[in-house]
């Protein structure tokens, strides 16, 4: 793991964060739990149409939206700090996290 990004905690312990890498849209039920716990604005709820394409949600007026279901997406992966709160709270085990290569 020496070539992976890690930080030294105040205790002196080494911690290797694992960052959000993938989200399984097949399993996702769009419950929004992960969105609520993410402290970094990484995630975004979108509509998924019958062709598997993402559709931006209109906000408070859903009536004309043509989507099959709502799914969470990783909208801003670069903002992730690797806390894994999203994976811990997800009831469907949608998330894959991975350590990052050190620069
Ligand atoms: S690991 Fe933490 S910061 Fe990254 S997407 Fe999940 S909740 Fe947000
Ligand atoms: S917590 Fe899991 S099932 Fe719920 S919206 Fe997030 S990824 Fe989807």
């Amino acid at each position: 793991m020496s070539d992976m990004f890690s930080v030294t905690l105040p205790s002196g312990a080494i911690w290797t964060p694992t960052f959000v890498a993938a989200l399984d849209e097949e399993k996702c039920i769009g419950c929004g739990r992960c969105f609520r716990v993410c402290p970094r604005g990484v995630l975004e709820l979108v509509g998924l149409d019958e062709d598997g394409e993402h559709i931006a949600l209109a906000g408070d007026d859903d009536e004309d939206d043509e989507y099959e279901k709502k799914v969470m997406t990783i909208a801003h992966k670069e903002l992730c700090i690797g806390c894994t709160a999203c994976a811990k709270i997800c009831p469907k085990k949608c998330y894959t996290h991975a350590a990052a290569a050190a620069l």
Side-chain angles (χ1 to χ4, degrees):
M1 293 292 281
S2 60
D3 57 345
M4 296 318 238
F5 172 80
S6 61
V7 292
T8 305
L9 300 175
S11 66
I14 304 292
W15 180 51
T16 303
T18 56
F19 299 91
V20 69
L23 193 169
D24 188 338
E25 292 181 0
E26 296 282 321
K27 293 187 195 167
C28 179
I29 56 172
C31 68
R33 287 178 173 87
C34 54
F35 179 86
R36 288 195 289 276
V37 298
C38 178
R40 296 283 296 166
V42 175
L43 307 170
E44 188 175 306
L45 194 64
V46 302
L48 196 67
D49 73 11
E50 57 195 11
D51 300 320
E53 299 291 329
H54 292 168
I55 303 169
L57 296 177
D60 54 1
D61 181 10
D62 277 349
E63 290 183 14
D64 295 331
D65 291 340
E66 294 182 1
Y67 55 83
E68 299 281 298
K69 68 171 191 172
K70 293 178 184 176
V71 292
M72 199 59 65
T73 55
I74 303 168
H76 299 288
K77 189 182 272 191
E78 73 282 2
L79 297 179
C80 178
I81 55 171
C83 69
T84 68
C86 52
K88 287 198 173 71
I89 204 156
C90 177
K92 303 298 283 183
K93 297 187 169 32
C94 297
Y95 282 99
T96 303
H97 280 63
L103 296 177

